[in-house]
Amino acid sequence: RGPDAAPPLARGPVPPRATRACVALPAKTGVRGAGSRPAMSGTVLPGTPIAVDFWSLRRAAGARLFFLSHMHSDHTVGLSSTWSRPLYCSPLTARLLHRRLQVPMCWIRPLEVGQSHVVGEVTVTLIDSNHCPGSVMFLFEGTFGTILYTGDFRYTSAMQREPALRGRHIDRLYLDNTHCHPQRALPSRALATRQAARLIRAHPQHHVVIGVYTLGKETLLVDLALEFSTWVVVSPWRLEQMRLLELPDVFTAEEGAGWIRAVDVAEIRWDTLVTWNALRPTIAIIPTGRPVKVTHPNIHLIPYSDHSSFAELREFVKWLKPCSIIPIVKGGMCQGYFQEYLSSAPQVLPDFKDTKSVQESGQRPSQRRGQKPTSLWKRALQSSAPRGVVYESPEKNTEKPEVFTDVKVPQHYCEPALCSTCCRGDKEELSGEQVGTAGAASVSSEHLATGFAEQYLLTPLNVLKQNSSQVFDQLVEDFFQKGGTS
């Protein structure tokens, strides 16, 4: 509590906390609007084997590595208990994913945040995205170059101290462009929290209902509970989730235990406000950075957002200086606003439209222009091994575990009871996808050949039609040139 904080409002004594039973969390993924099904927010990254927040295998175009940035419903469209491929995410998202969508543990591969991991032929580093519990950005590195996928994120200047991003050359930045417009000015979340507190103090005789989604805004609820020394009343399933998130002990499912209540944002409507105010004076708060139609005079909007403001996006791009920007929100534009901040350094492209610009900045040119692919192949085998923590599977590396005595290998996040039934084909599946094999730390010739074939197959058809046999030979040479000098 700050020095100017007001004493707790006189709304009656807080009763002793009752014993609350833990209940199973239902498989619900939140509501964005009145029951509308959210649109898919994920994508398959061109020129890579990577899909992020994209769960339609039919449309995945050969993607073999699947990543989940966080557990908001628009990022899990198509993901369910029937999912049967390795899926990579943060440890907290792994717990939420299994609890809420019943995805079997044997397919979930939690990766520690802040560490680099080798998954197949890709090095990935997870970075806290400051959006909701468990949310992360993904930094991907491989023969395709360096890609930063922000997912949903709220930028803070502290991100400039992130070791994985400092001085990093970024070929492609997939940017959360939710508020990417100069008119979308937003205060910091700390300032928005103070606005909510002032609003509550201006209604000392009112109960307070706060509308939130299934996941997110937990920090706001905790701050208000501590500010006003009251419990925050939530539903039993939300209480179980708060415990799963290991949040401060300020939540209860006991009706009447506190005068601040958190409900699903879809419950805040004209008719519910009329009902609540018939029982006792009540105000409702919707913390959001999005335009919302207010239907009752006791509904108040607070500009509390878990997405970056336009000014924050500009500061982030200006600092990072990527070669190119791809908006994550489909149909939204943002590249034009930040064109002056982009790097002019050569970038690794996702296709073969310009074979002369695929080398990363700082790579050394070929010593002999007529060098044959065979010699480039040999040099690639010596120098293009992924770096970071090798992510191992328990089905692999059983003969010579001493090979990895100096490498930290995350424990397999799996429940034996589940694995006996759901992972019968796990070994063959992982072998086919080259996920977490003992060969992940050393690239084989088959691996490089497969990588080139995949990138070629991902090239747009209109580009392929332009390629003669001589051009194709040049593409092969450039591919191994890139692999041999990475």
Side-chain angles (χ1 to χ4, degrees):
R1 297 174 62 87
D4 59 343
L9 302 184
R11 289 180 173 84
V14 177
R17 194 166 194 178
T19 302
R20 298 177 302 277
C22 293
V23 297
L25 193 64
K28 58 184 297 183
T29 58
V31 178
R32 291 191 180 272
S36 59
R37 181 175 177 82
M40 179 178 289
S41 293
T43 188
V44 176
L45 309 189
T48 81
I50 298 167
V52 183
D53 300 338
F54 193 95
W55 312 109
S56 173
L57 295 176
R58 181 177 57 85
R59 298 164 51 200
R64 296 176 288 105
L65 304 175
F66 295 86
F67 295 84
L68 174 62
S69 64
H70 64 291
M71 272 297 292
H72 276 160
S73 59
D74 54 333
H75 294 257
T76 60
V77 175
L79 187 55
S80 70
S81 60
T82 62
W83 184 260
S84 58
R85 279 173 168 76
L87 180 160
Y88 300 89
C89 59
S90 70
L92 182 50
T93 296
R95 297 203 299 269
L96 292 170
L97 178 61
H98 176 62
R99 182 63 64 89
R100 281 169 44 181
L101 297 185
Q102 285 82 51
V103 173
M105 284 291 193
C106 56
W107 295 119
I108 302 175
R109 309 288 197 265
L111 302 177
E112 288 299 325
V113 180
Q115 295 184 9
S116 293
H117 308 264
V118 176
V119 181
E121 66 271 40
V122 175
T123 298
V124 57
T125 306
L126 279 63
I127 303 167
D128 189 338
S129 70
N130 192 37
H131 175 67
C132 70
S135 63
V136 293
M137 298 185 279
F138 294 111
L139 180 68
F140 297 110
E141 300 169 87
T143 58
F144 47 78
T146 303
I147 299 173
L148 178 62
Y149 193 99
T150 68
D152 290 350
F153 86 124
R154 182 77 195 252
Y155 168 79
T156 68
S157 58
M159 290 180 180
Q160 296 189 19
R161 298 191 294 272
E162 172 58 48
L165 295 180
R166 279 199 305 244
R168 177 73 63 175
H169 172 88
I170 303 295
D171 293 296
R172 283 179 273 169
L173 171 63
Y174 284 80
L175 185 66
D176 174 14
N177 56 313
T178 300
H179 297 311
C180 191
H181 193 282
Q183 296 180 350
R184 301 299 290 272
L186 291 168
S188 67
R189 286 186 292 197
L191 180 56
T193 300
R194 290 197 291 272
Q195 291 182 21
R198 285 197 297 270
L199 175 64
I200 292 173
R201 290 195 188 95
H203 297 80
Q205 303 304 320
H206 287 67
H207 279 229
V208 179
V209 179
I210 301 177
V212 294
Y213 294 124
T214 303
L215 185 67
K217 311 294 193 300
E218 290 84 5
T219 300
L220 172 65
L221 299 177
V222 170
D223 288 344
L224 293 177
L226 298 177
E227 177 73 17
F228 295 105
S229 300
T230 180
W231 300 113
V232 175
V233 180
V234 296
S235 64
W237 74 260
R238 193 184 291 272
L239 176 63
E240 177 65 13
Q241 175 166 284
M242 298 304 189
R243 290 175 170 173
L244 190 67
L245 299 177
E246 299 179 349
L247 294 172
D249 190 23
V250 299
F251 300 98
T252 178
E254 181 183 348
E255 290 294 335
W259 47 268
I260 294 180
R261 186 152 52 101
V263 302
D264 192 284
V265 67
E267 292 186 44
I268 298 183
R269 307 181 305 271
W270 171 276
D271 57 329
T272 54
L273 262 295
V274 170
T275 300
W276 292 335
N277 277 277
L279 298 174
R280 63 182 67 86
T282 302
I283 61 170
I285 295 175
I286 300 179
T288 181
R290 303 172 186 268
V292 175
K293 183 179 180 180
V294 175
T295 60
H296 191 281
N298 281 15
I299 297 177
H300 302 269
L301 304 181
I302 295 294
Y304 186 105
S305 179
D306 289 326
H307 297 268
S308 303
S309 67
F310 178 79
E312 290 165 347
L313 291 175
R314 182 174 55 194
E315 180 181 342
F316 180 63
V317 174
K318 185 177 181 180
W319 167 71
L320 197 62
K321 294 181 175 60
C323 292
S324 63
I325 296 176
I326 299 97
I328 289 178
V329 179
K330 305 301 186 295
M333 300 298 294
C334 64
Q335 301 96 319
Y337 295 121
F338 309 127
Q339 193 67 34
E340 62 182 300
Y341 306 128
L342 299 185
S343 171
S344 59
Q347 65 170 311
V348 177
L349 301 177
D351 55 48
F352 302 118
K353 291 181 180 178
D354 182 4
T355 60
K356 296 183 182 299
S357 61
V358 298
Q359 290 183 337
E360 281 192 75
S361 175
Q363 288 186 340
R364 60 185 186 274
S366 174
Q367 295 178 355
R368 299 189 303 275
R369 187 163 184 80
Q371 195 169 17
K372 299 298 182 181
T374 303
S375 58
L376 290 169
W377 184 294
K378 293 179 180 178
R379 288 197 296 131
L381 295 181
Q382 299 170 357
S383 61
S384 61
R387 62 178 184 82
V389 177
V390 178
Y391 192 88
E392 269 296 289
S393 166
E395 295 88 355
K396 308 294 182 180
N397 196 32
T398 56
E399 296 181 359
K400 297 182 179 180
E402 67 276 8
V403 173
F404 293 97
T405 55
D406 295 329
V407 180
K408 180 178 179 182
V409 180
Q411 294 296 317
H412 188 55
Y413 197 56
C414 192
E415 293 182 355
L418 286 172
C419 286
S420 63
T421 57
C422 70
C423 298
R424 291 172 183 170
D426 197 12
K427 182 172 182 179
E428 292 75 16
E429 184 77 37
L430 293 177
S431 177
E433 296 185 352
Q434 298 183 6
V435 175
T437 67
S442 61
V443 181
S444 67
S445 58
E446 292 181 6
H447 203 156
L448 283 173
T450 302
F452 177 78
E454 288 164 356
Q455 292 196 24
Y456 192 78
L457 287 174
L458 287 171
T459 304
L461 183 59
N462 63 329
V463 177
L464 290 175
K465 289 179 179 179
Q466 301 171 10
N467 291 342
S468 64
S469 59
Q470 290 81 9
V471 172
F472 181 83
D473 292 340
Q474 183 63 43
L475 294 178
V476 175
E477 179 173 349
D478 286 342
F479 178 82
F480 292 115
Q481 171 77 35
K482 178 179 62 176
T485 59
S486 59

